[in-house]
Amino acid sequence: MPNAGRKHNYKRRRKNKRNHFNRILSKTILAFIIAITAGCILRRPVMSRYYQWKIDQPKPSQENVILSGISIDGKDVSGMSYEEAITHINSQVDTNTEGNIITIKSSDGKHTYNYTFQDFELKFDIENAVNQAINFGKDSTSPDWWRQFKALEAGRVDFAIMSYNKAQVRSFVNAISDKITVQAKNAGLKRENGQFVVTPAQTGYAIDKEAILLQVYDLIDKREFGKEVNFDIKVTEPTHKDADVSGITGIIGTYSSPYTGGDDNRIQNLRNGCAKINEVVVYPGEEFSTNDHFNPCTEANGWASAGTIVNGKIEDSIGGGMCQVSSALYMALLNAEVKITERYNHSMKVGYADYGFDATLAGDYKDLKFLNDTGCAIFIESYLANSNVVVNIYGKEIHSQGRTLKFYNKFIKETEPDEPITKEDDTLPAGTTKIDMTAKKGYVYELYKEVYENGVLKDTVKINTSTYLPRRQVTLVGTKPVEETT
C-alpha cells in the first residue's frame, strides 16, 4: 500500500507540472501575438524612433565634412571639408566673367546685340554653395531635416554655383522686339482740301521672343558663353496696299435726308451717327456693317435718349434717330449701285422716308450691310448741313456718263388691323378712357430702280419688298379710385 500511495503522488505531480508548462506556453504565445499586433499598429512611430535613434548613435564627427551623396556643380564633394571643397571646385570651374556672354543676332545680319555677364546679372558663388553643402542634412532639429534626409536617401543632391536674372534676360529680348516689331497697316485714305491723300501701306515685322529666350537660357545653363543666338524676322504684308485706295474718281452716290429742329437729343444722335461713318474707308471686297460702327448703343458711346419706334408706337430710347442716318446711307448706296447684302424696313412708316426707302437698325440682329464690289476703295462722307443728313459715297465710277437712275415704290397690298382692345390703367381715374394707340393699316410695298442711258429706259430692277405691320387700336380704361371730397 505504501508503494501504491507513492506511485499515485508521483502521477499527480507530473500532471501538475504538465498543466503548469501548458499555462506558461499559452501566456508566451499570447504575449508574442500581442507584441506582433502592437508592432503593426505602432509601426510608424517605431520607425521614426528608429531614425532618431540612428541619428543619436555615436558616430565619427561629420560637422566639418560634407555628407556622402552631395555634389557641387555636378562635382562629387562627399567627405570633403570646407577648404577642400572650395579648392576642388575652383580647380574644376572657370568663373571668369569678362567679355560677352551672348550675342543675339538677326539671320539677315542687320540687327546685332551683345550682352555681358553684368547685363544678365550672372555670377558665380562657390562659397555659398559649399556652405549649403557642408550644412546639408546635419541639423535634426530643423523642419527641413526630414526632407533633406530623404533627398540623400533617394539619390545625389547637387548645389549650383551659378545664378542669373531670367527676368532681366526677358527684358532685353523684349527691348529687341520693341525695336524691330512693326504692325502691318493697310493703306489709308483721307480727304484734305477737297483732295484725297493716300496714307501708304506699311509692311509688318515681328520676331519670336519665346524662341529667342529658350535659346539664350539653354546657352547660359550649358555655359556655352560667347556664342550667338540667331533669330528670323517674320515679314507680314498688309492686306490692302496703296493701289487699293487709288483710282477714286469722285462721288458715285449721294443722298440728303431732311430733318426738323426742336429735339436736341435727336439732333445729337443724327450728328453722332454721321460722325461714326464719316471718312470710313471700305476696301475692295470688304463688307461694311453699320452696326459695327454704331454699337454699342449707349450714352457713353455718344447716343442720347430720343423718340424711336417701340412696339408700334413712338417712345424715347437711347439712340432714337440713328435710323435716319442709316436710311440716308442706304439711299446713297443705292445711287452708287453697290451690292446691298442686308437691309430691314421699319415696322411702320417713318416720317423722313417713304415706303421702301428706309433702313432700320436693331441691336446686333438688324443691320445695314453692303459689299464693295467696285474694284476700288469706297470713301464714305457723312455730315449734317442745312437741316439735312448728307451722305456721299466716293469711289470709282464704272458706268457711262449718260447713265441715270430713278427709284420709285409700288403698292402691293394692305392689311387690316386686328380688333380694338382695351386695357386697364391704374393711373387713370375710374370711369375715364384714353386712346393709347390708334388703328393703322399695314402695307406691303416694293422698291424699284429704273436705269436710263442717255434718257432711254434700259432696265427696271426690283430692289426690295418691305412689309409694314398693321396696328390695332388700344384704349386705356381708368381704374384709379376717385377721392371723395366734402
Side-chain angles (χ1 to χ4, degrees):
M1 290 297 294
N3 289 333
R6 284 194 299 271
K7 186 176 181 180
H8 176 75
N9 290 335
Y10 173 73
K11 290 181 178 180
R12 184 172 59 188
R13 284 195 300 272
R14 287 191 62 185
K15 182 178 182 180
N16 289 339
K17 286 181 180 180
R18 188 165 53 250
N19 290 340
H20 179 66
F21 175 77
N22 289 338
R23 286 195 297 272
I24 292 174
L25 180 61
S26 298
K27 289 180 180 180
T28 301
I29 293 173
L30 178 61
F32 180 72
I33 293 172
I34 292 173
I36 292 175
T37 304
C40 293
I41 296 174
L42 302 177
R43 184 177 181 181
R44 291 186 181 276
V46 168
M47 293 298 288
S48 297
R49 287 197 298 271
Y50 164 74
Y51 284 120
Q52 189 61 49
W53 168 82
K54 186 175 181 181
I55 295 167
D56 294 338
Q57 294 307 301
K59 52 186 175 291
S61 175
Q62 294 181 318
E63 293 300 320
N64 296 320
V65 297
I66 300 170
L67 296 179
S68 178
I70 295 177
S71 61
I72 297 176
D73 200 49
K75 284 76 178 174
D76 185 16
V77 291
S78 302
M80 293 185 185
S81 66
Y82 178 87
E83 292 77 10
E84 290 171 337
I86 292 286
T87 302
H88 179 66
I89 299 301
N90 274 321
S91 67
Q92 298 289 316
V93 178
D94 179 12
T95 58
N96 179 32
T97 58
E98 297 297 326
N100 292 333
I101 177 175
I102 294 291
T103 296
I104 302 177
K105 187 176 181 180
S106 62
S107 54
D108 60 9
K110 295 181 179 180
H111 304 274
T112 302
Y113 306 90
N114 296 310
Y115 298 99
T116 65
F117 285 77
Q118 290 73 28
D119 289 331
F120 295 159
E121 298 179 8
L122 191 148
K123 56 187 177 182
F124 295 94
D125 193 345
I126 296 176
E127 291 79 3
N128 181 57
V130 172
N131 275 324
Q132 292 183 68
I134 207 162
N135 293 315
F136 190 84
K138 293 181 179 178
D139 184 4
S140 61
T141 62
S142 169
D144 292 330
W145 174 82
W146 180 251
R147 177 184 59 79
Q148 295 175 359
F149 179 84
K150 297 301 289 183
L152 282 174
E153 190 178 66
R156 182 168 295 279
V157 175
D158 186 71
F159 291 95
I161 65 171
M162 186 189 74
S163 65
Y164 63 99
N165 190 337
K166 284 193 172 185
Q168 187 73 356
V169 177
R170 181 176 288 274
S171 70
F172 280 114
V173 174
N174 286 340
I176 295 173
S177 177
D178 292 341
K179 292 178 182 178
I180 296 176
T181 300
V182 176
Q183 295 296 326
K185 291 183 180 179
N186 290 324
L189 197 63
K190 55 184 178 179
R191 189 167 168 77
E192 296 180 352
N193 301 319
Q195 300 294 322
F196 283 104
V197 179
V198 174
T199 304
Q202 183 171 275
T203 301
Y205 302 95
I207 64 174
D208 189 341
K209 295 189 295 184
E210 294 304 318
I212 295 173
L213 280 171
L214 290 176
Q215 291 183 69
V216 173
Y217 292 156
D218 185 59
L219 289 182
I220 294 177
D221 292 338
K222 293 178 179 178
R223 298 186 199 168
E224 296 180 357
F225 303 137
K227 290 194 173 183
E228 285 187 359
V229 169
N230 295 309
F231 64 90
D232 296 325
I233 299 177
K234 181 181 178 182
V235 179
T236 305
E237 295 297 335
T239 305
H240 300 287
K241 298 186 178 181
D242 298 7
D244 292 329
V245 294
S246 301
I248 290 180
T249 57
I251 294 177
I252 59 174
T254 184
Y255 192 79
S256 294
S257 175
Y259 65 88
T260 57
D263 189 339
D264 292 341
N265 282 1
R266 191 173 188 280
I267 294 174
Q268 175 183 327
N269 289 340
L270 295 179
R271 184 176 292 108
N272 190 48
C274 287
K276 290 186 180 302
I277 60 173
N278 188 43
E279 298 187 344
V280 169
V281 177
V282 185
Y283 297 97
E286 183 180 14
E287 186 178 47
F288 171 93
S289 163
T290 308
N291 278 342
D292 285 351
H293 292 81
F294 280 9
N295 285 339
C297 186
T298 61
E299 291 182 350
N301 196 29
W303 302 107
S305 180
T308 189
I309 300 174
V310 179
N311 297 324
K313 64 180 182 178
I314 304 298
E315 294 183 358
D316 281 350
S317 64
I318 301 298
M322 68 166 61
C323 289
Q324 184 167 357
V325 179
S326 62
S327 295
L329 173 62
Y330 176 57
M331 289 308 303
L333 293 170
L334 289 181
N335 281 307
E337 296 189 90
V338 298
K339 185 176 181 179
I340 308 296
T341 56
E342 185 175 339
R343 171 263 174 189
Y344 301 89
N345 60 273
H346 290 77
S347 61
M348 56 186 289
K349 185 180 180 299
V350 292
Y352 52 80
D354 201 355
Y355 295 108
F357 289 82
D358 60 324
T360 190
L361 305 173
D364 57 358
Y365 58 92
K366 286 187 177 182
D367 199 354
L368 172 62
K369 296 181 179 181
F370 73 90
L371 178 67
N372 181 0
D373 57 352
T374 67
C376 176
I378 284 178
F379 183 89
I380 302 175
E381 185 177 61
S382 181
Y383 54 89
L384 299 185
N386 302 320
S387 297
N388 278 273
V389 175
V390 180
V391 178
N392 295 320
I393 306 298
Y394 290 87
K396 182 179 180 180
E397 183 58 70
I398 58 176
H399 301 105
S400 63
Q401 291 185 350
R403 183 184 179 91
T404 57
L405 306 176
K406 179 182 177 181
F407 294 91
Y408 68 90
N409 58 12
K410 179 181 178 181
F411 170 76
I412 303 301
K413 67 176 182 178
E414 68 179 19
T415 307
E416 293 295 327
D418 291 338
E419 291 297 319
I421 61 171
T422 59
K423 291 183 178 180
E424 293 184 346
D425 189 331
D426 59 7
T427 65
L428 294 176
T432 63
T433 61
K434 177 183 177 182
I435 302 298
D436 187 46
M437 286 194 297
T438 58
K440 283 184 177 292
K441 293 182 178 181
Y443 299 97
V444 177
Y445 275 83
E446 292 177 348
L447 182 66
Y448 286 87
K449 175 179 71 174
E450 289 182 343
V451 180
Y452 294 84
E453 294 288 347
N454 298 317
V456 179
L457 179 62
K458 292 294 185 180
D459 196 10
T460 300
V461 181
K462 179 182 173 181
I463 301 299
N464 69 50
T465 299
S466 299
T467 301
Y468 299 88
L469 302 177
R471 185 177 70 183
R472 67 169 57 180
Q473 178 174 305
V474 178
T475 303
L476 302 180
V477 178
T479 60
K480 183 180 180 181
V482 179
E483 296 182 1
E484 295 184 1
T485 59
T486 60

